[in-house]
Amino acid sequence: DSMPDLTSIAASVGAILKEKQQSIGVAESSCGGLISATLVSIPGASAYYLGGAVNYTQGSRDALMRIPESAMVGLRASTEAYAQLNARTIRDTLGSTWAVSETGASGPTGNRYGDSAGHACIAVAGPVEKVITVETGSSDREGNMWTFASAAIELLKSCLKEAG
């Protein structure tokens, strides 16, 4: 297997953000930084990429995102509502125009909440907001990470285009 071409995945997103002079922040979990790496792979990414957080554990979420426990009442990871909360939080924290977040189970097993491997929720916060759930049905950890990251970039691209 050859590594997917990060630049081709993110080039159009980077071009739109540069052209509009807008910025992006990222909050991801099971992608482990892959969404940020994809966005940063474009030369000149510093014009739009403000930063990102990999919230892989509750401890990292608490330390990096500072989401209060009160905001977590009735919420759990790997849900659309939690993905949206993370996207809005990182956007507000970084002061970015846009944010994208991912929360899921890359595999080979599911998560402690009962979601299967290959389950992720992805959200975009900004002038247009969208959230999706991805189910690959696969236990291939790396494959799922790439699928989740690609889905996040595609969702971001659709929001950027819808914003006009």
Side-chain angles (χ1 to χ4, degrees):
D1 278 354
S2 62
M3 188 173 71
D5 180 359
L6 291 174
T7 306
S8 67
I9 295 170
S12 59
V13 166
I16 294 167
L17 289 167
K18 274 189 216 177
E19 180 191 328
K20 294 183 176 184
Q21 297 184 334
Q22 295 179 341
S23 56
I24 183 80
V26 178
E28 55 194 310
S29 64
S30 64
C31 282
L34 200 49
I35 298 169
S36 285
T38 301
L39 290 166
V40 170
S41 72
I42 307 298
S46 59
Y48 55 86
Y49 179 82
L50 296 187
V54 178
N55 308 311
Y56 201 69
T57 62
Q58 183 178 339
S60 61
R61 181 192 74 216
D62 294 346
L64 296 171
M65 302 289 284
R66 301 185 187 245
I67 294 173
E69 280 306 313
S70 60
M72 290 301 297
V73 173
L75 270 189
R76 69 164 179 86
S78 299
T79 61
E80 291 191 353
Y82 181 69
Q84 197 71 65
L85 175 63
N86 278 320
R88 289 175 178 158
T89 300
I90 199 76
R91 182 193 64 201
D92 293 347
T93 299
L94 295 175
S96 57
T97 315
W98 296 93
V100 61
S101 73
E102 169 274 327
T103 173
S106 51
T109 60
N111 63 25
R112 62 191 176 123
Y113 307 109
D115 300 306
S116 299
H119 166 92
C121 294
I122 298 163
V124 171
V128 172
E129 299 204 340
K130 288 186 181 173
V131 61
I132 60 169
T133 298
V134 174
E135 298 282 358
T136 68
S138 170
S139 61
D140 176 1
R141 186 176 180 88
E142 186 178 344
N144 285 331
M145 290 170 70
W146 281 109
T147 298
F148 300 166
S150 297
I153 298 298
E154 288 301 321
L155 186 65
L156 176 59
K157 189 190 305 184
S158 75
C159 290
L160 287 167
K161 288 182 174 174
E162 193 176 313

